Amino acid sequence: MDPQRWGASRADRPPPRFLDELQDAVIRGVQVRLGYVDSTGADTKRTVHPLGIVAKDPWWYLVATTETGRRTFRIDRVSSVDPTDDPVHRPADFDLAESWREIADEVDRRRMPVEIQAVCAPDGIATLRMALGDRLEVGGPTADGRVEVVIRGYSEYTLAGELAWQVEWLEVTGPAGVRDQLAAIGTALVERYG
């Protein structure tokens, strides 16, 4: 995979240290004893069944099964790779693209745990899509011609801040905490600029 866009300067980040060894293990279908440093700095060793490698700019990930189930390892955190001659036990129905979609969806849910419901004037949908990307789910029309939407975010406070400028098109219907945050933003604006 070449993640570089045409006409862009060369990427400064070199490929992770053990990328070639892990690609080889995936291709040969052999288990590896993997040294891994997690996000807290703890160094662990385990035997994994490499199923595939995914590049999500700028990071590379190993998708593997372990004794505790499917796991994803950021390859730049791998501290050692020792291939074995033991074959990988690959689930018969394993599909790397589908597996990665599930992993990415779960990461998004953890990163953006708050969901709000709102209705939006049709004229505002394109602007919401540009601002929110995949965090916006567009539903069906309401009786008054607006469109139902669901928006995900990190917290009620940050969502209110992101959406306050959309007041012309958007009405948040729930949860109440986001509506309260929007009201507080409105009060603060009136106090400062009113």
Side-chain angles (χ1 to χ4, degrees):
M1 176 176 188
D2 179 3
Q4 197 66 33
R5 293 186 317 272
W6 292 110
S9 62
R10 298 207 44 92
D12 294 331
R13 183 182 300 275
R17 179 175 167 205
F18 292 105
L19 179 61
D20 291 339
E21 291 90 338
L22 291 169
Q23 284 176 328
D24 182 64
V26 169
I27 291 166
R28 291 190 308 122
V30 296
Q31 298 176 39
V32 297
R33 283 185 282 288
L34 186 74
Y36 189 74
V37 179
D38 69 16
S39 61
T40 66
D43 195 358
T44 60
K45 303 242 186 283
R46 68 194 84 199
T47 299
V48 302
H49 298 251
L51 301 174
I53 294 177
V54 174
K56 183 166 178 67
D57 192 39
W59 308 111
W60 290 83
Y61 295 89
L62 171 68
V63 178
T65 53
T66 69
E67 61 187 25
T68 59
R70 184 184 67 193
R71 290 281 316 275
T72 305
F73 301 92
R74 222 171 79 182
I75 296 178
D76 64 309
R77 291 184 180 163
V78 171
S79 59
S80 64
V81 172
D82 183 21
T84 71
D85 290 327
D86 299 326
V88 166
H89 300 292
R90 178 182 296 271
D93 60 348
F94 178 76
D95 178 273
L96 181 58
E98 178 61 29
S99 182
W100 184 254
R101 276 190 294 276
E102 291 170 6
I103 292 164
D105 288 348
E106 177 60 26
V107 169
D108 280 344
R109 278 191 293 279
R110 280 188 271 146
R111 289 181 61 229
M112 302 290 171
V114 176
E115 279 191 359
I116 68 156
Q117 297 77 40
V119 288
C120 185
D123 295 353
I125 294 292
T127 304
L128 276 179
R129 278 194 174 118
M130 283 191 304
L132 302 171
D134 291 343
R135 296 187 299 135
L136 172 70
E137 293 177 30
V138 178
T142 62
D144 64 2
R146 295 184 292 176
V147 179
E148 294 177 337
V149 295
V150 174
I151 301 167
R152 289 188 324 276
Y154 177 71
S155 70
E156 290 182 350
Y157 177 79
T158 58
L159 274 169
E162 286 182 292
L163 300 176
W165 66 278
Q166 288 282 342
V167 69
E168 180 180 348
W169 300 294
L170 190 70
E171 178 185 351
V172 173
T173 56
V178 175
R179 292 174 58 90
D180 293 344
Q181 292 290 340
L182 285 165
I185 289 169
T187 298
L189 287 170
V190 169
E191 287 175 1
R192 177 157 298 175
Y193 300 108

